[in-house]
Amino acid sequence: MSLPKAMLQTWRANNANQDTLRTLQKHRLDALVRFAREKSLYYKRLYSDLDTICLEKLPMTNKLEMMSHLDEVFTDRRITIDRIDQFTSNLDNVGKMMDGKYLVFKTSGSTGFPATVLYDKMTIDVASAVAAFRTFARKEDYQAFMKHGKKTAGVFADYGFYLACGMSRYLQLRMPWKQTKITVDVNAPGEEIIRQLNAFQPSMLSGYPSNLALLADYPELLIKPDVIITGGELLTDEIRQKLTNRFGCYVQTHYSCTEGGEIACECSEGHLHINEDWVIVEPVDKDNNPVAPGVQSDKVLITNLSNYIQPFIRYELTDRIIIHDEPCACGKHSRWLEIEGRTDDIMTFASGVQIAPMSFYKILEEIKAIRRFQLVQTALDKLVLRLIADNPIEAFQVAHRELTSFLESKELTGVDIALSNELPQSDKISGKFKHVIALKH
Ligand SMILES: [Zn+2]
């Protein structure tokens, strides 16, 4: 598939009805499964007993399974993990095509261990097409963006083989004459990030919501973006409001991951519509039974219909979502979803009780003496609090009292909470800042 064809097909499906979307999905799934079965040793084995191609009957896959059989997963037998390791050992290769055919991405491993993901030309073209037609929730923001020269600044990890970095390098390498896009390294000192953003004056600002919320606290940041598009982690209502107030523009998000691609884009009603022409999203409970619309899932199975080099078919993500099939006032017929956030940050304690990160976030956010915090689970029943405050000891005493009382209300007694002598910090590899970090298993 060429880029113009991907563009045309994606544009045509923008307002397609459910019947058309289901037909498209079935057609594309059939083609992908046939190809995977023929070219990938992994899928050949996985589908050895398959008679007909019916989504619900296809075996599921997950990260551990796929990453431990990676050489067999690829549909191009010349690609091996050894060759990928060699390619990725040179950071100059970020954004370059391996064998002139494939982009290589690594996920940051925030879910415990990293994944390696290859995109072929079709995956890249579809991603570009979806970005071209579905990025902006509101027409007026798109028009302002075009009027102001499409100036885009992304505050991301500006190195390594991460999706945002790799894709933006790829585009820069292909169109070096285009000076409309910059990536600012999220790990650079705050003053440096602000200097670059002030000098560039972006029309669209993108980045991780938690990091943009921290940047918003700098009065020296003097930019007037037309729109802010966050990604990579959950955009909470609080952060959306904070950024709206600070920058006076529309703030929106989207839902994507390296394996699934662009899963859902926000509409003018603030709903995340699934890109159902290119991805199949199945909400399931913890035993992998399908979950009805309106009910919160424990996990999601995604099928990326545009990746033929490394097929992701019924691939498990640990996100908790609610699917909505009721009509949306924006006029799109695709279903939309709500996402609770990455479950990697849900803490599981020794008794099995789980606590959502937002609970901790809200408690600590409310404590005025704390300027910035990060709660880290270091053992099953042990938390340490990193914080910035004028009087850390006093602030910690308040936090300790509030957290203990909250945990006791959840029948969690005997959880040890200590004040850390470290400051809150971004993840060293991905550059993302998390307020709540669960124990890695
Ligand atoms: Zn809508």
Side-chain angles (χ1 to χ4, degrees):
M1 181 177 289
S2 61
L3 180 60
K5 200 172 170 193
M7 287 279 187
L8 184 66
Q9 293 199 359
T10 304
W11 177 75
R12 276 192 186 142
N14 273 345
N15 293 309
N17 62 28
Q18 276 294 311
D19 285 347
T20 308
L21 289 169
R22 292 295 152 256
T23 309
L24 260 182
Q25 283 187 341
K26 187 170 180 349
H27 176 74
R28 287 177 178 161
L29 179 70
D30 276 4
L32 180 65
V33 168
R34 278 178 217 286
F35 187 84
R37 198 177 189 181
E38 189 190 322
K39 304 279 188 184
S40 151
L41 289 176
Y42 173 80
Y43 281 104
K44 189 177 203 165
R45 196 170 56 238
L46 194 67
Y47 294 161
S48 58
D49 296 331
L50 210 64
D51 308 325
T52 52
I53 300 172
C54 169
L55 179 70
E56 294 75 24
K57 296 207 174 113
L58 295 175
M60 290 155 205
T61 54
N62 61 46
K63 188 190 277 186
L64 187 62
E65 258 297 295
M66 273 183 81
M67 293 308 134
S68 41
H69 298 95
L70 207 48
D71 282 352
E72 298 181 341
V73 170
F74 298 127
T75 57
D76 180 341
R77 302 290 301 280
R78 286 165 301 182
I79 302 293
T80 61
I81 192 64
D82 288 344
R83 290 190 56 223
I84 292 174
D85 285 345
Q86 204 179 357
F87 185 80
T88 54
S89 66
N90 182 357
L91 281 180
D92 287 343
N93 283 330
V94 173
K96 290 185 186 159
M97 298 281 234
M98 183 176 172
D99 289 1
K101 283 177 157 181
Y102 312 114
L103 281 182
V104 182
F105 298 111
K106 301 260 183 197
T107 63
S108 63
S110 57
T111 52
F113 66 102
T116 299
V117 179
L118 259 58
Y119 278 20
D120 55 26
K121 183 72 171 47
M122 176 170 167
T123 329
I124 300 165
D125 288 345
V126 167
S128 303
V130 170
F133 297 121
R134 300 178 192 165
T135 295
F136 292 86
R138 307 192 312 171
K139 273 204 187 86
E140 54 265 48
D141 298 328
Y142 174 69
Q143 285 160 352
F145 175 68
M146 296 303 280
K147 193 175 144 199
H148 295 140
K150 300 196 274 185
K151 291 175 79 175
T152 308
V155 186
F156 292 112
D158 188 23
Y159 60 92
F161 290 84
Y162 305 116
L163 184 64
C165 178
M167 279 300 261
S168 94
R169 284 276 170 87
Y170 168 76
L171 294 171
Q172 275 163 7
L173 289 170
R174 279 173 67 92
M175 295 177 277
W177 60 89
K178 273 204 169 182
Q179 299 290 326
T180 57
K181 206 175 163 84
I182 61 163
T183 305
V184 182
D185 186 1
V186 70
N187 283 337
E191 293 72 22
E192 175 58 19
I193 297 176
I194 284 155
R195 193 192 60 75
Q196 290 192 41
L197 291 176
N198 282 347
F200 185 71
Q201 289 295 320
S203 165
M204 184 216 283
L205 175 65
S206 56
Y208 314 121
S210 55
N211 280 102
L212 295 181
L214 297 174
L215 283 177
D217 289 335
Y218 285 83
E220 303 88 343
L221 181 61
L222 301 168
I223 55 170
K224 284 189 168 20
D226 296 307
V227 63
I228 292 176
I229 302 185
T230 71
E233 56 185 24
L234 186 70
L235 174 62
T236 62
D237 291 344
E238 286 87 349
I239 292 182
R240 198 190 286 254
Q241 197 55 53
K242 179 177 180 179
L243 296 175
T244 304
N245 295 345
R246 170 66 169 84
F247 295 103
C249 68
Y250 195 72
V251 179
Q252 59 167 91
T253 187
H254 64 122
Y255 174 33
S256 69
C257 68
T258 313
E259 296 96 322
E262 193 66 19
I263 298 173
C265 297
E266 198 173 306
C267 76
S268 54
E269 299 296 310
H271 294 153
L272 284 167
H273 282 271
I274 303 167
N275 291 309
E276 292 188 280
D277 48 345
W278 292 116
V279 62
I280 301 174
V281 175
E282 297 174 85
V284 293
D285 67 15
K286 59 182 189 328
D287 301 318
N288 298 319
N289 299 310
V291 165
V295 179
Q296 173 134 315
S297 75
D298 291 309
K299 299 181 288 185
V300 190
L301 304 176
I302 50 139
T303 300
N304 182 342
L305 297 168
S306 69
N307 191 338
Y308 274 67
I309 173 62
Q310 185 177 352
F312 290 93
I313 304 170
R314 304 201 87 204
Y315 178 83
E316 180 186 298
L317 295 180
T318 53
D319 290 332
R320 292 154 66 87
I321 65 162
I322 299 173
I323 293 256
H324 290 268
D325 58 358
E326 58 266 35
C328 178
C330 76
K332 284 184 195 287
H333 302 287
S334 52
R335 298 182 303 164
W336 46 282
L337 57 82
E338 281 176 82
I339 178 161
E340 187 191 68
R342 310 283 162 160
T343 53
D344 316 311
D345 291 331
I346 287 183
M347 285 191 191
T348 306
F349 291 87
S351 65
V353 170
Q354 292 190 311
I355 305 288
M358 280 307 287
S359 306
F360 290 123
Y361 185 89
K362 283 187 192 250
I363 291 164
L364 293 165
E365 184 77 356
E366 284 299 308
I367 300 172
K368 298 290 175 240
I370 297 179
R371 294 221 309 270
R372 210 174 143 192
F373 65 84
Q374 190 168 48
L375 187 65
V376 186
Q377 186 181 27
T378 53
L380 274 175
D381 277 337
K382 185 165 171 57
L383 305 176
V384 299
L385 185 62
R386 297 170 179 161
L387 54 81
I388 298 176
D390 291 332
N391 187 334
I393 306 286
E394 262 177 37
F396 174 70
Q397 281 169 353
V398 181
H400 187 276
R401 192 174 61 232
E402 296 289 331
L403 288 171
T404 304
S405 138
F406 168 73
L407 290 170
E408 282 173 357
S409 76
K410 302 283 174 192
E411 295 180 343
L412 285 166
T413 50
V415 176
D416 181 13
I417 308 169
L419 176 61
S420 170
N421 49 18
E422 296 179 293
L423 295 177
Q425 52 202 260
S426 298
D427 184 87
K428 286 190 177 59
I429 301 165
S430 71
K432 289 185 192 178
F433 182 84
K434 287 180 177 180
H435 285 98
V436 179
I437 301 172
L439 185 66
K440 302 252 190 306
H441 295 284

